[in-house]
Amino acid sequence: CSAIDACKSSNGGCSAKAECRRTAPGSRACVCSAGYTGDGIVCIEINPCLVNNGGCDRNAECTQTGPNQAVCNCLKGYSGDGKTCTYISLCSQNNGGCSEFAICNDTEMTERTCTCKINYTGDGFQCRGNIFQELFRNSNTSRFYFHLQALSIRDITGPGPFTLFVPHTDVLNSDPRVKDWIAKGVMAQVLRYHMVGCANLLYKDLTAITNITSLQGDLIHISYSQNSLVLNNQAEITLSDAVGTNGVIHVINQILVP
């Protein structure tokens, strides 16, 4: 007589994910393979993520990769190896994408708010100071700023409101009349002719009026046609509504002459 091997046929009736072990002639035991659990007849893959998040940090995602195997990945807004995840402050890098003149505040995961600082206005992503400061910061208007500085014209540093019609930097640099006005001592009058006091006039406001008085004293004529605003029938507004804390700047393509 020979002993019957209970495991010889069909893995002894054990699960394909189990090991059939002979225990006695004609008897066997079924033991689930590593990574599986069950009675040996039925073996189910162990998902380690179901217990204690698979050993991952609470701010990480556990992803099963195989029987009793998993990887840990930190959630968006956190950094680390998955076992340990640290919150990333959005405001810690590049001020959270806010303006340099804004305060960045972390609110919740992957969220932050941007608020312009005192004496600045805007949405937090773009913050502007008074229009005198903004002239300097914008290359389109910086030449006008330097002319004001050279002549110690500080009218527009006050509370305002003011409306400025600023000839583009390229225009002020190329117009030969500028040197003559400086030599004759009339440049200050020309500059003040581009300023309007006691009014914060946006583009849409200008379309509804025909004349305004400059700080120099003379009138500026305004006409609106073919979707363009033209001053004194010659200078067109090319960039508009740069709003500061004490007024608004419009860029024009020619110099206004009183």
Side-chain angles (χ1 to χ4, degrees):
C1 294
S2 59
I4 297 173
D5 183 355
C7 295
K8 186 175 182 179
S9 176
S10 300
N11 199 31
C14 301
S15 166
K17 302 298 183 182
E19 178 187 0
C20 181
R21 297 177 182 175
R22 295 173 59 189
T23 56
S27 298
R28 56 94 176 98
C30 298
V31 181
C32 291
S33 303
Y36 294 84
T37 184
D39 60 6
I41 305 298
V42 176
C43 294
I44 300 172
E45 189 173 287
I46 297 172
N47 183 354
C49 297
L50 298 178
V51 179
N52 195 32
N53 199 30
C56 302
D57 189 275
R58 64 188 183 91
N59 293 307
E61 180 182 20
C62 179
T63 304
Q64 184 184 7
T65 58
N68 205 25
Q69 296 177 332
V71 294
C72 303
N73 294 297
C74 293
L75 298 174
K76 185 178 180 181
Y78 293 85
S79 66
D81 60 5
K83 298 293 185 181
T84 301
C85 297
T86 305
Y87 175 67
I88 301 171
S89 169
L90 293 179
C91 296
S92 66
Q93 298 179 354
N94 195 33
N95 200 30
C98 303
S99 163
E100 62 178 307
F101 306 111
I103 298 171
C104 180
N105 286 305
D106 289 295
T107 53
E108 54 185 75
M109 186 174 65
T110 73
E111 297 293 334
R112 55 89 178 87
T113 60
C114 302
T115 307
C116 292
K117 296 177 180 178
I118 296 174
N119 297 326
Y120 288 87
T121 185
D123 60 6
F125 297 98
Q126 185 175 53
C127 297
R128 295 189 178 98
N130 67 49
I131 53 178
F132 188 70
Q133 295 170 312
E134 293 308 311
L135 286 173
F136 173 71
R137 294 191 186 110
N138 191 327
S139 61
N140 294 322
T141 59
S142 58
R143 191 62 186 168
F144 192 85
Y145 168 87
F146 290 126
H147 281 299
L148 295 178
Q149 282 285 68
L151 296 170
S152 298
I153 299 174
R154 308 282 295 180
D155 307 55
I156 57 174
T157 59
F162 301 99
T163 299
L164 297 188
F165 302 106
V166 180
H168 192 280
T169 289
D170 293 342
V171 174
L172 285 171
N173 284 337
S174 61
D175 195 317
R177 296 175 298 174
V178 172
K179 290 183 179 180
D180 293 336
W181 291 329
I182 293 173
K184 294 176 181 177
V186 297
M187 190 61 183
Q189 296 178 46
V190 174
L191 295 175
R192 285 194 172 97
Y193 187 51
H194 294 77
M195 308 175 188
V196 176
C198 303
N200 187 46
L201 299 170
L202 298 176
Y203 192 92
K204 63 181 177 61
D205 302 318
L206 294 170
T207 62
I209 57 180
T210 56
N211 291 289
I212 47 177
T213 303
S214 69
L215 290 185
Q216 180 267 345
D218 288 349
L219 289 176
I220 300 173
H221 176 69
I222 303 173
S223 56
Y224 182 73
S225 64
Q226 298 181 341
N227 297 321
S228 296
L229 272 172
V230 179
L231 309 181
N232 291 350
N233 297 317
Q234 59 175 1
E236 182 180 344
I237 295 178
T238 55
L239 297 170
S240 63
D241 294 353
V243 178
T245 55
N246 65 340
V248 60
I249 299 170
H250 303 288
V251 178
I252 56 179
N253 61 1
Q254 291 192 45
I255 300 174
L256 301 177
V257 181

